Amino acid sequence: MCRRGRHPADTEGGLLKLVRTPGLTLGVAAGGVIQVNTDDGSYGVISRGGNLAPQLYGPPDVAMSIEGELRRLGRWHDGCVKNMTILTVPVRARFDAIESTLNALAAKRGIEWYYGNVYGEDCTTPLNWWVS
């Protein structure tokens, strides 16, 4: 089942703690704290919540077809629209396990996926926030 609508956040002192991973907002995931510039809508990451933000491009029912495998990784489903599903997976689930699961789905069902908060603005350089 897809959740749609606003992604609520806790606020305190101008900072936002993300309750869910927002779609199409790169660089952040649930649990992270950001500060938004209300003048231009830009944002900066203050702290990371320890979660990865896989974004699946294809019908939501395809992503939901591997619900059991995704749950074993500790993931939760943040929302979807017609051809995009947003997930949150704790980084402790390990990249190799996440990638194996999502790559198998992509090969079998013809979807594409991308980590929404792993790479920099050039879409290739790892941010490495999980290394520390």
Side-chain angles (χ1 to χ4, degrees):
M1 175 179 194
C2 287
R3 281 189 244 173
R4 296 185 179 152
R6 289 182 46 223
H7 290 278
D10 298 323
T11 62
E12 184 178 316
L15 302 178
L16 301 174
K17 181 173 183 179
L18 300 172
V19 176
R20 292 193 256 166
T21 297
L24 300 177
T25 304
L26 299 178
V28 299
V33 176
I34 62 172
Q35 184 152 34
V36 177
N37 179 335
T38 56
D39 293 332
D40 65 7
S42 63
Y43 59 92
V45 176
I46 304 301
S47 65
R48 306 271 179 188
N51 293 307
L52 298 168
Q55 299 182 5
L56 286 66
Y57 304 100
D61 63 318
V62 172
M64 302 313 286
S65 73
I66 59 167
E67 182 78 12
E69 294 144 89
L70 292 171
R71 282 196 188 278
R72 282 190 287 282
L73 295 173
R75 79 92 190 124
W76 63 90
H77 175 235
D78 285 306
C80 61
V81 292
K82 183 177 179 183
N83 286 311
M84 183 178 184
T85 301
I86 305 301
L87 304 174
T88 297
V89 181
V91 72
R92 70 178 178 272
R94 297 182 354 266
F95 283 94
D96 59 336
I98 297 164
E99 292 166 8
S100 174
T101 300
L102 296 179
N103 287 338
L105 179 65
K108 183 178 180 181
R109 300 290 300 272
I111 66 159
E112 295 183 25
W113 69 275
Y114 179 79
Y115 285 118
N117 68 331
V118 167
Y119 301 104
E121 290 183 19
D122 65 1
C123 298
T124 58
T125 304
L127 295 171
N128 290 326
W129 57 263
W130 56 89
V131 174
S132 55

